[in-house]
Amino acid sequence: MCGIAGMVGACDAALVASMTAALRHRGPDGDGVHLEPDVGLGHRRLAILDLAGGAQPMTDASGDFVIVYNGEIYNFAALRAELLAAGVPLRTRGDTEVLLELWRREGPAALQRLRGMFAFAVWDRRTRELHLVRDRLGQKPLYYSQLAGGELLFASEPKALLQCQAVDRSLDLAALDAYLELYYVPPPRSIFAGVKQLPPGHRLTWREGQVTISRWWDCEPRPPDPRLRSVEAWAEAVAPTLAEAIELHTVSDVPVGAFLSGGLDSSTIVAALARRGTALQTFCVGYGPEGASYEERHHAREVARHFGLMHHELELKVDILDDLAAMVAGFDEPFGSWTALLAYHLSRFARQRVTVALAGDGGDEVFGGYPRYRGLRISEHLGRVPPGAVALAGRALRVLGEPTTALSLRRWGRQFLDSLALPPGERYAAWVGKGSDSARDRPYARETARRIAEVRAPNFIAEAFDRPVFGDLVARAWYADIHGFLPENVLRCTDRMSMAHGLEVRVPFCDHVLLEQMAAAPSSMRVTALASKRVLREIAGEWLPPAVLKRKKLGFSAPFGAWLKAAEARIVADWLHPDVIKRRGLFDVTGVARIVGEHRRGTRDHSLRIWSLIVLEQWQRMYSD
């Protein structure tokens, strides 16, 4: 795992060095640069494979290709053996040279053979082309900026690009609007007007100042496999793929651990490795008395004890404002999900003992674990209920108020009812965006609202939902999530918060072979009105104690409501003070005060909205003041 940076079309050696140094946290074990008159490539290394070799930038034996690479190719050993059998001389034992040689021999066609997570840049000296590539699900980040003269800069994180004074760091208003709806900025935009994200599963080619971008991977829902008609049959077909994916994700020359909550996803990963005798340390987070309803440590402890693993627990006591600056710096952009706080602390804790950790990210998307999938099935039937009755039920929920906890059924009920009248794609986008009434909850100042209306981007989630040519509502939601919520929320959080501490986190459920196999699974294999993750539960039933299978879903949760309340006085006196709001000019002072007041009175749970505004203000202090 590493950080990469560079430029093409010109080469400023001092700038390349500065960009590379800005990514030191991603690669504390070494650095290197490659300089030519019109290209510069930089690399920061976190040594995982071939600790003695594998330094980057790396040039192939012919001298025609140079690579900087961030990621892991989990099937590199098989690919390496294939190259050696073909007579290709290899100088190192790691995956970087394998990737470089495959690109030299096959070009972009080699991408289809890679099983892993990656973002890399290849400079082709023969054609004078720079190729940027990002993995299928965007597990590894890649940003770029094209300057007025056609020069291209790229990096793992925006902070490296911002070392160049010519990069426009002004606020992108369309990105701001998306952030306040989704709590992240979707690609290809970033929060900075002059910085773009290369979307997952895409590649970029620069030649003579011209940039072309194309998609190289997609995974739309497919018609069901007629040979698989039951949950048992699907489980039997998928289990070997899942086991192989988990095993491949342990390839490493340094200690490996796993995040373990005691829930189905993380316990399945731990069980698969324990059954194979893999040495493993596990890590779990818990809370004090205020977080009793979110406590999972006893569940994780039981799973670790069952498999005889070395288990470590962190009791988290945080002031949410103490780590705010460090968290925002880890993203370089506003990221409004408070799970980043948990990921930040858990990653720091795990890094004290291991360099690599496996996590259960993607299990909910791939196998159908989110309640919103079941909500889609229910909404198809409720769509026939008279609108007046739905509106009456929504008003009743508003009168009851909303407890400010992550487990508020009233809030979920209000969001569900508010969106029933919307088209399916917009309905799902509203749920993923954490609620309807989005215009009401985005309290723009009049001039801000006018300007955003002129630049507002299409609905990112709804567009993905409507894109597949085949699939029912649940299948479309699955597709939207693997192109939206999973890469841009879940995996972005995991990468930035783990790499802030030099920890590599791997996510076996995001293996593309597993994803493509599940693309043909009927929605009934994922969820019914009463059950979720049906295929995974069937597989895990052979691996796990029965108690794990019976647990209710909790998710990566924390007593954020209590933490927010404890900091409320300082928030109102500083981050959301009327003078601060007025000076920024983006929001209406009265509108922000209304949101804070409704939350304080318990009539609406605005925890995430308030947090997103705090994060945005902190970002402005760090990047725009």
Side-chain angles (χ1 to χ4, degrees):
M1 202 55 54
C2 309
I4 63 174
M7 63 186 305
V8 65
C11 183
D12 182 332
L15 176 58
V16 173
S18 178
M19 292 169 64
T20 305
L23 300 172
R24 186 182 188 282
H25 56 285
R26 295 187 70 93
D29 296 331
D31 68 316
V33 295
H34 172 88
L35 302 174
E36 296 183 20
D38 55 351
V39 66
L41 305 177
H43 186 264
R44 291 290 324 192
R45 187 183 188 200
L46 178 64
I48 303 294
L49 293 170
D50 191 10
L51 305 187
Q56 298 183 46
M58 183 179 288
T59 304
D60 78 313
S62 71
D64 290 335
F65 296 89
V66 188
I67 191 171
V68 285
Y69 154 58
N70 168 30
E72 300 290 348
I73 307 302
Y74 300 124
N75 63 333
F76 88 95
L79 296 171
R80 185 175 189 274
E82 181 182 315
L83 289 170
L84 289 172
V88 178
L90 298 176
R91 300 157 291 171
T92 66
R93 297 186 300 105
D95 58 347
T96 303
E97 189 176 16
V98 170
L99 173 58
L100 181 58
E101 284 297 327
L102 282 175
W103 187 275
R104 181 183 69 83
R105 291 162 62 90
E106 303 177 17
L111 298 175
Q112 304 299 335
R113 306 217 285 145
L114 304 180
R115 196 168 178 178
M117 56 180 180
F118 47 84
F120 64 86
V122 174
W123 172 239
D124 187 334
R125 285 171 159 167
R126 304 165 309 167
T127 62
R128 314 306 292 174
E129 293 177 332
L130 182 75
H131 302 276
L132 301 180
V133 180
R134 195 171 178 205
D135 66 57
R136 296 169 176 86
L137 285 181
Q139 296 178 57
K140 295 292 102 185
L142 194 53
Y143 292 81
Y144 67 94
S145 180
Q146 189 161 22
L147 306 183
E151 304 91 345
L152 184 77
L153 281 66
F154 69 89
S156 297
E157 297 178 9
K159 59 173 58 68
L161 299 177
L162 297 179
Q163 302 299 309
C164 177
Q165 296 302 311
V167 172
D168 183 359
R169 62 175 61 209
S170 62
L171 176 67
D172 183 320
L173 287 178
L176 170 66
D177 194 56
Y179 165 70
L180 291 178
E181 175 66 11
L182 299 169
Y183 304 121
Y184 59 80
V185 178
R189 283 183 159 86
S190 82
I191 198 69
F192 303 99
V195 175
K196 303 295 184 186
Q197 301 180 64
L198 184 63
H202 282 67
R203 62 185 182 93
L204 178 154
T205 299
W206 178 97
R207 184 175 185 180
E208 297 181 348
Q210 299 300 311
V211 166
T212 57
I213 297 174
S214 60
R215 182 190 292 273
W216 67 269
W217 181 82
D218 201 357
C219 188
E220 288 196 9
R222 302 197 307 271
D225 186 331
R227 298 168 298 175
L228 305 176
R229 298 181 179 274
S230 66
V231 172
E232 293 79 11
W234 268 99
E236 184 178 356
V238 171
T241 308
L242 176 59
E244 181 187 41
I246 294 171
E247 180 65 20
L248 282 173
H249 279 66
T250 64
V251 58
S252 173
D253 292 333
V254 297
V256 176
F259 295 153
L260 176 61
S261 68
L264 179 60
D265 297 340
S266 63
S267 297
T268 297
I269 291 172
V270 166
L273 296 177
R275 285 158 51 90
R276 296 180 64 92
T278 304
L280 200 65
Q281 298 186 59
T282 54
F283 303 88
C284 183
V285 65
Y287 315 101
E290 77 279 5
S293 62
Y294 302 88
E295 190 61 70
E296 296 187 284
R297 280 180 292 178
H298 54 290
H299 298 295
R301 202 176 299 142
E302 286 301 315
V303 173
R305 184 180 297 120
H306 179 83
F307 291 110
L309 304 174
M310 184 182 297
H311 186 62
H312 308 280
E313 296 178 356
L314 169 67
E315 182 167 308
L316 195 55
K317 299 177 181 178
V318 302
D319 182 319
I320 62 172
L321 300 179
D322 284 351
D323 298 304
L324 182 59
M327 190 196 76
V328 172
F331 288 97
D332 288 334
E333 298 187 83
F335 184 82
S337 173
W338 51 261
T339 55
L341 283 172
L342 306 187
Y344 181 86
H345 286 279
L346 184 57
S347 295
R348 181 168 62 184
F349 178 63
R351 186 62 176 89
Q352 297 170 13
R353 295 174 176 84
V354 298
T355 309
V356 175
L358 274 62
D361 296 358
D364 284 321
E365 289 82 2
V366 175
F367 288 103
Y370 289 125
R372 57 181 182 255
Y373 295 151
R374 291 153 74 180
L376 279 172
R377 285 197 171 277
I378 297 171
S379 71
E380 291 182 274
H381 302 291
L382 289 184
R384 294 189 287 270
V385 175
V390 173
L392 182 62
R395 285 197 296 271
L397 284 175
R398 287 189 177 86
V399 170
L400 291 172
E402 294 176 7
T404 54
T405 70
L407 301 176
S408 172
L409 293 177
R410 293 180 201 166
R411 184 179 71 247
W412 289 349
R414 174 186 57 77
Q415 294 169 350
F416 179 81
L417 293 174
D418 283 350
S419 62
L420 276 181
L422 297 173
E426 294 180 26
R427 182 190 316 159
Y428 192 68
W431 294 353
V432 175
K434 309 300 182 185
S436 58
D437 290 343
S438 57
R440 181 179 184 274
D441 292 345
R442 285 179 279 185
Y444 294 131
R446 183 175 300 175
E447 177 61 15
T448 306
R450 184 192 67 77
R451 293 171 61 196
I452 284 179
E454 296 175 350
V455 299
R456 180 168 283 141
N459 190 311
F460 176 67
I461 301 299
E463 276 200 339
F465 188 98
D466 293 333
R467 191 180 305 147
V469 297
F470 174 86
D472 61 13
L473 295 188
V474 173
R476 291 174 179 279
W478 174 84
Y479 179 84
D481 277 350
I482 67 170
H483 289 77
F485 189 81
L486 177 58
E488 309 309 336
N489 186 315
V490 178
L491 298 179
R492 185 184 304 199
C493 177
T494 295
D495 174 81
R496 306 309 193 278
M497 295 296 90
S498 61
M499 293 308 296
H501 303 293
L503 177 73
E504 174 174 307
V505 175
R506 300 175 176 179
V507 285
F509 288 121
C510 293
D511 175 72
H512 82 277
V513 178
L514 176 64
L515 266 171
E516 290 172 357
Q517 187 174 20
M518 287 299 295
S523 295
S524 60
M525 295 297 111
R526 294 188 174 88
V527 296
T528 65
L530 300 176
S532 62
K533 291 184 179 176
R534 298 183 68 205
V535 170
L536 182 59
R537 290 182 189 279
E538 186 70 25
I539 295 171
E542 300 293 322
W543 301 355
L544 290 170
V548 177
L549 302 176
K550 296 177 182 176
R551 276 195 62 195
K552 290 185 177 180
K553 180 177 174 59
L554 183 58
F556 196 24
S557 300
F560 185 72
W563 294 345
L564 188 66
K565 188 173 182 61
E568 184 177 286
R570 284 187 294 153
I571 291 169
V572 174
D574 189 348
W575 278 267
L576 299 186
H577 190 278
D579 290 345
V580 173
I581 301 298
K582 188 179 299 183
R583 178 167 59 87
R584 294 293 181 199
L586 290 174
F587 300 112
D588 174 63
V589 172
T590 303
V592 174
R594 174 186 52 76
I595 287 173
V596 173
E598 288 179 350
H599 182 81
R600 183 181 291 161
R601 292 190 299 272
T603 57
R604 281 283 301 275
D605 180 4
H606 288 297
S607 298
L608 279 170
R609 174 63 63 221
I610 292 171
W611 179 244
S612 67
L613 293 173
I614 295 168
V615 169
L616 178 63
E617 170 58 26
Q618 181 65 43
W619 175 82
Q620 290 177 295
R621 295 179 183 188
M622 296 173 66
Y623 292 90
S624 66
D625 280 355

